[in-house]
Amino acid sequence: MNENFYQNTQNEPGGPNEPDKFNQPPQPKRLTASEGLALVSVMFGVFSLIFMFFGGSFFFGAMGVIAALLSRRRLMATSAKIGLILSSIGLALSVAFMTFATWVLLSTGTWQKIQTDLDQIDYTSANAASDVMTIVQDDVYAMMEDMMAQLSGGAS
């Protein structure tokens, strides 16, 4: 009778042949496509703020906005909203920085000086690329020194 009882309990739920559901390691949660895009938009938003002065802010900001907009279904997730905000801030600051830099170059006459200096370069020589970089660098540094002199002279 004991053998019969043992045979019947082997195939019952919780019996020795059934895998133990409570001692299994937890399975990692898989992200849906919209959750993944929301996370990507947050990362691009952070990158757009980090690379603001290195020229990558415009690219990362635009990609973050696109990823945040693509991630929404009916309602936008919180992480997508954060990514959209960070990317928009990075994009706006990038546009503002580029506008300011262009205004400074055009209003100080540095752009015209760079153009006249570049017209004097012999582009057939082997050192043309380094000559261009040297001229642009020297002219921009001269502009910055003039601006600093004006700021320090005006504050006295």
Side-chain angles (χ1 to χ4, degrees):
M1 185 157 183
N2 279 343
E3 291 176 21
N4 207 7
F5 176 76
Y6 180 72
Q7 288 175 352
N8 288 340
T9 59
Q10 281 185 345
N11 294 327
E12 290 180 9
N17 290 340
E18 173 128 1
D20 189 6
K21 295 178 184 176
F22 299 105
N23 290 329
Q24 295 291 325
Q27 298 297 320
K29 182 184 173 208
R30 295 187 57 92
L31 294 176
T32 62
S34 64
E35 291 171 336
L37 282 171
L39 182 62
V40 167
S41 73
V42 171
M43 291 185 337
F44 277 143
V46 170
F47 289 158
S48 73
L49 294 176
I50 291 173
F51 291 108
M52 183 171 34
F53 298 109
F54 303 110
S57 180
F58 190 81
F59 170 76
F60 287 122
M63 295 305 290
V65 168
I66 291 170
L69 293 176
L70 288 176
S71 73
R72 65 185 177 137
R73 289 187 178 170
R74 290 185 184 158
L75 295 175
M76 191 176 283
T78 304
S79 57
K81 289 177 186 176
I82 292 170
L84 181 63
I85 291 168
L86 289 174
S87 298
S88 298
I89 290 171
L91 194 59
L93 289 175
S94 172
V95 168
F97 180 73
M98 285 189 285
T99 303
F100 177 72
T102 303
W103 175 76
V104 166
L105 282 174
L106 293 177
S107 67
T108 58
T110 305
W111 186 250
Q112 287 81 15
K113 183 167 178 4
I114 290 173
Q115 284 180 332
T116 56
D117 290 344
L118 290 178
D119 288 339
Q120 298 172 2
I121 293 178
D122 178 23
Y123 288 102
T124 59
S125 72
N127 297 335
S130 64
D131 292 343
V132 168
M133 291 304 295
T134 303
I135 286 174
V136 171
Q137 185 177 14
D138 291 344
D139 289 344
V140 169
Y141 283 153
M143 176 201 64
M144 292 172 68
E145 288 174 355
D146 291 344
M147 289 178 68
M148 293 302 290
Q150 289 176 356
L151 289 174
S152 64
S156 305

